[in-house]
Amino acid sequence: MHKGIAASSGIAIGCVFLLEEDDFIVQKREIIDEKFEISRFRSALNKTKQEMIQTKKKALQRLGKKHARLFDAYLLILDDTMLRQDTIEMIAKNKVSAEYALQQVMEKVLLFFKEIDDEYFKERGQDIYNVGRKVLRHLLGREKKVLSQLESQVIVVAHNLTPSDTIAMREEKVIGFATDIGGKTSHVAIMAHSLEIPAVVGLKDITKKIKNGDMIIIDGDQGIVILNPDPVTIENYYRKQQIFIAEEKDLEKLKDLPAITLDGQEINLVANIEVPEEIKSVLFHGANGIGLYRTEYLYMNRKDFPTEEEQYESYKVVAKNMLPYSVTIRTLDLGGDKVTQQFKLAPERNPFLGLRAIRLCLKYPDIFKTQLRAILRASTEGKLKIMYPMISGIEELRQANMILEEVKKDLRGKRIDFDNEIEVGVMIEVPSAALVVDVLVQESDFLSIGTNDLIQYSLAVDRVNENVTNLYNPLHLSILRLLKRIVQAGEKAGKWVAMCGEMAADPSVTTILLGLGLREFSMSAVSIPKIKRVIRSIKIKETKQLADEIMGLSDNCQIKKVLRKKEV
Ligand code: PEP
Ligand code: MG
């Protein structure tokens, strides 16, 4: 049994699909029959070509001509003498294996392009390298190691997954996953949760202990994985899985009941989404709107920026389908663990403290304006709100609002309709924002607490680092004090305050959050019934007493003791 971090509930039992890190170590191997090696190389080229033609066909169907053109460039690289001829010559001259020759040629090409002081050419070098790797995979017999070509249901085991890998799983046959690294509130974990894929992260070296085709059990509640379990264990876990499914079904019954406390306080339960396709699940789980639409996912798995039109279409679909409810669109929050290719930024040493979210948007106002225009145009189709991520002080809020005003003015000038009354809110997820929340609230229509980042930044605990997960403590007195401060600032200014971080989805803290005065919770749609069940079982008066009691305690052991007592 291997202990990791529980990232997404549920039990998965299946075969391992090991998503290896992409570095192949190719040993030098001398050969006698160079003709045979050259024909192996040609056949690998050919297989790669056929594979690319198939992928191009798929891209044509799904993404249209423009994006499919990218594959023409790859096909040209395959035919280029740089890879083809040089490798053949090296096999013939040095009498080495095809894979070794190709690897040498690829390294040479990469080095050559790296030395050119031009970003464009550097990238072309990487393209040639990537095409070379595909050929290498065939030579090494490692074809089909990509998520998009899965033929049966599998459990993906990987050193690391990026949010874009996870989003690719949406359409694939992935029933669970386990990773060496990662924390509970990493975006990969959040995605797994909303896709309802059981997941355990932060297992440190699971990829070294496992091979393709091994049997594995993922227990996403306990945060454990079991390799090659015996039949009795498998049987037990199948039973656990049935219980989990039955509980989920039971929770579904709450879907159409109101989220109301025993003493009649209504609570607004809304959903977090990453992509418009989630709306079905949002409505299914009984959400009263969308409190956080993470729009940065529109930028993932592609090289170009999404156009205004594309963004407009996505926002329009969400706005329309969610009527009569409202949708809070968060402006681009790239950076941190959500890295995309468009900005071509060099890797940062501390990405979570770097050019992230609103900082990136203020540095690239044209990109920001395109998104704001798309949101404003879509605002006539439903009830949209705008929310800025990672605001750290009033200056950033004013700058963002100034840009928004410019966009509005431009639209008015062009007689393009939008909702003139659109509300604009601020995420409170940086400690400095929480400390000046009384100032920020004056110039915003609402606040939404992003506890994932607020906790990370307040406690100095990297949310994606498995080594410090034990220090990531939502009930730290400092966090409770910040939450109280934010809610009170909202109350005083007559503005509503929501919470959209993962803390809002944790039923063990719902009572405290209600006691602190929170009345809107936004979370992955699947979590809504669980939170609703807690809400429907308590009185506000009791929640206030609990919050007061907890706030009077100074250490975490005492807090946990009190909470445990209340559970009984
Ligand atoms: C948060 O930080 O709590 C939040 C909701 O935003 P994200 O998880 O996308 O950083
Ligand atoms: Mg955040």
Side-chain angles (χ1 to χ4, degrees):
M1 192 190 350
H2 301 263
K3 179 89 184 110
I5 299 159
S8 174
S9 304
I11 309 282
I13 305 166
C15 277
V16 167
F17 177 86
L18 190 58
L19 205 64
E20 286 165 53
E21 292 244 61
D22 262 352
D23 38 15
F24 310 111
I25 299 162
V26 181
Q27 302 284 357
K28 183 169 180 181
R29 184 166 59 85
E30 290 180 1
I31 45 116
I32 12 179
D33 187 352
E34 68 253 37
K35 273 197 187 135
F36 176 69
E37 281 309 299
I38 292 170
S39 79
R40 274 184 67 228
F41 176 59
R42 289 212 163 104
S43 140
L45 281 174
N46 217 2
K47 279 187 193 161
T48 313
K49 192 170 182 173
Q50 294 314 320
E51 203 174 78
M52 276 186 197
I53 292 171
Q54 288 310 319
T55 318
K56 186 184 159 186
K57 271 189 198 154
K58 266 195 202 164
L60 258 174
Q61 282 163 1
R62 287 202 205 161
L63 308 169
K65 250 191 197 156
K66 203 173 109 216
H67 296 290
R69 243 179 264 139
L70 180 72
F71 295 95
D72 290 332
Y74 285 162
L75 284 165
L76 277 177
I77 292 173
L78 264 186
D79 283 332
D80 195 273
T81 48
M82 192 124 49
L83 273 188
R84 182 182 281 267
Q85 214 39 47
D86 287 8
T87 305
I88 291 175
E89 272 171 23
M90 187 177 274
I91 297 172
K93 202 169 127 212
N94 298 1
K95 298 216 179 318
V96 287
S97 68
E99 41 276 61
Y100 184 73
L102 174 60
Q103 169 90 339
Q104 295 300 304
V105 171
M106 280 161 59
E107 295 292 344
K108 203 174 78 189
V109 170
L110 196 64
L111 199 71
F112 171 75
F113 278 94
K114 251 190 194 159
E115 281 168 1
I116 304 177
D117 194 19
D118 181 308
E119 274 310 311
Y120 177 81
F121 281 112
K122 277 199 174 97
E123 262 195 40
R124 298 294 74 74
Q126 192 61 49
D127 283 342
I128 299 176
Y129 193 78
N130 290 343
V131 171
R133 295 173 87 89
K134 288 186 193 300
V135 183
L136 204 49
R137 275 187 193 286
H138 284 289
L139 282 169
L140 294 167
R142 296 198 195 179
E143 55 264 65
K144 295 222 164 179
K145 299 283 288 178
V146 280
L147 279 176
S148 59
Q149 294 172 353
L150 291 176
E151 272 158 16
S152 57
Q153 290 198 328
V154 291
I155 292 177
V156 169
V157 180
H159 178 65
N160 186 21
L161 288 171
T162 61
S164 40
D165 290 327
T166 332
I167 203 144
M169 290 181 187
R170 171 178 299 279
E171 293 175 15
E172 307 308 333
K173 300 181 171 76
V174 179
I175 55 167
F177 71 77
T179 57
D180 288 339
I181 66 171
K184 195 174 175 61
T185 57
S186 61
H187 284 96
V188 168
I190 293 172
M191 278 297 298
H193 192 208
S194 54
L195 294 173
E196 299 179 57
I197 299 177
V200 178
V201 299
L203 284 150
K204 298 207 160 86
D205 56 357
I206 194 72
T207 48
K208 299 218 170 71
K209 296 185 169 142
I210 213 161
K211 56 184 190 320
N212 259 313
D214 275 353
M215 179 87 169
I216 187 173
I217 295 175
I218 304 277
D219 183 338
D221 293 292
Q222 300 299 318
I224 52 178
V225 304
I226 301 169
L227 304 184
N228 295 315
D230 57 49
V232 178
T233 312
I234 296 178
E235 191 52 41
N236 281 342
Y237 269 92
Y238 270 125
R239 225 170 291 131
K240 264 191 166 185
Q241 195 179 41
Q242 291 314 313
I243 295 172
F244 179 83
I245 294 169
E247 273 173 8
E248 294 288 296
K249 277 243 154 351
D250 209 39
L251 280 169
E252 274 173 28
K253 293 183 195 139
L254 293 174
K255 150 177 166 335
D256 298 319
L257 297 176
I260 188 164
T261 60
L262 290 175
D263 48 357
Q265 173 67 55
E266 270 195 60
I267 306 296
N268 206 22
L269 295 186
V270 290
N272 294 351
I273 63 164
E274 280 79 35
V275 288
E277 288 79 2
E278 282 177 85
I279 292 176
K280 222 167 119 194
S281 160
V282 168
L283 296 172
F284 176 79
H285 288 99
N288 283 349
I290 289 175
L292 168 65
Y293 176 4
R294 289 184 165 101
T295 54
E296 51 280 3
Y297 282 83
L298 267 169
Y299 289 64
M300 286 180 186
N301 294 329
R302 56 191 292 166
K303 285 192 165 173
D304 55 346
F305 285 99
T307 61
E308 180 186 321
E309 222 40 46
E310 248 177 278
Q311 297 192 55
Y312 166 73
E313 287 300 328
S314 298
Y315 306 151
K316 186 171 94 174
V317 165
V318 180
K320 263 188 166 170
N321 282 286
M322 284 310 297
L323 275 172
Y325 301 120
S326 66
V327 175
T328 301
I329 302 197
R330 177 177 71 183
T331 57
L332 195 54
D333 181 14
L334 282 176
D337 59 344
K338 288 176 288 198
V339 189
T340 58
Q341 305 174 45
Q342 293 91 353
F343 289 93
K344 301 199 173 28
L345 299 169
E348 295 177 297
R349 251 171 303 199
N350 286 309
F352 275 109
L353 302 180
L355 194 56
R356 195 191 153 187
I358 198 71
R359 300 171 180 182
L360 191 71
C361 288
L362 295 178
K363 188 173 158 89
Y364 297 98
D366 288 345
I367 305 294
F368 192 34
K369 280 182 186 170
T370 305
Q371 177 170 41
L372 292 172
R373 277 175 67 91
I375 301 175
L376 286 171
R377 282 177 52 208
S379 68
T380 55
E381 306 284 343
K383 292 185 189 159
L384 292 187
K385 297 172 201 246
I386 295 174
M387 178 162 81
Y388 303 131
M390 225 192 150
I391 293 284
S392 63
I394 193 71
E395 294 78 9
E396 276 166 347
L397 174 58
R398 287 187 184 148
Q399 279 180 53
N401 273 337
M402 238 162 60
I403 295 177
L404 178 65
E405 282 313 311
E406 273 177 44
V407 177
K408 283 183 178 175
K409 199 171 146 202
D410 184 52
L411 288 178
R412 279 188 204 108
K414 296 193 167 101
R415 298 191 182 285
I416 298 175
D417 249 10
F418 64 91
D419 174 8
N420 251 312
E421 305 295 311
I422 193 163
E423 289 186 17
V424 181
V426 170
M427 278 192 82
I428 305 294
E429 52 181 347
V430 180
S432 58
L435 292 171
V436 297
V437 65
D438 51 325
V439 180
L440 293 171
V441 76
Q442 297 306 324
E443 298 182 30
S444 22
D445 295 311
F446 64 91
L447 306 173
S448 187
I449 310 172
T451 50
N452 304 338
D453 281 312
L454 186 63
I455 297 168
Q456 139 164 287
Y457 294 131
S458 301
L459 303 182
V461 177
D462 182 348
R463 63 193 269 194
V464 300
N465 182 342
E466 66 281 4
N467 296 317
V468 286
T469 293
N470 57 326
L471 300 175
Y472 191 93
N473 177 14
L475 291 179
H476 193 286
L477 188 56
S478 61
I479 303 299
L480 296 177
R481 285 186 181 170
L482 288 177
L483 297 182
K484 189 167 178 180
R485 187 189 176 91
I486 300 164
V487 175
Q488 284 180 342
E491 278 170 4
K492 200 164 162 209
K495 310 276 173 77
W496 54 271
V497 180
M499 177 180 282
C500 62
E502 290 301 289
M503 194 174 178
D506 178 356
S508 71
V509 300
T510 308
T511 314
I512 301 175
L513 297 180
L514 289 169
L516 291 174
L518 266 170
R519 298 293 178 260
E520 178 168 318
F521 298 69
S522 191
M523 66 201 84
S524 301
V526 277
S527 300
I528 288 179
K530 255 185 250 161
I531 302 297
K532 196 186 273 184
R533 184 163 61 186
V534 178
I535 291 169
R536 291 176 59 85
S537 69
I538 41 171
K539 290 191 178 140
I540 286 293
K541 203 173 137 205
E542 294 160 3
T543 68
K544 282 191 178 143
Q545 279 162 359
L546 178 68
D548 285 346
E549 187 178 352
I550 297 267
M551 296 290 285
L553 302 173
S554 53
D555 77 72
N556 217 249
C557 276
Q558 292 173 309
I559 294 182
K560 281 196 176 137
K561 225 191 237 168
V562 171
L563 286 181
R564 232 174 286 131
K565 231 174 19 197
K566 301 282 169 194
E567 266 175 29
V568 201

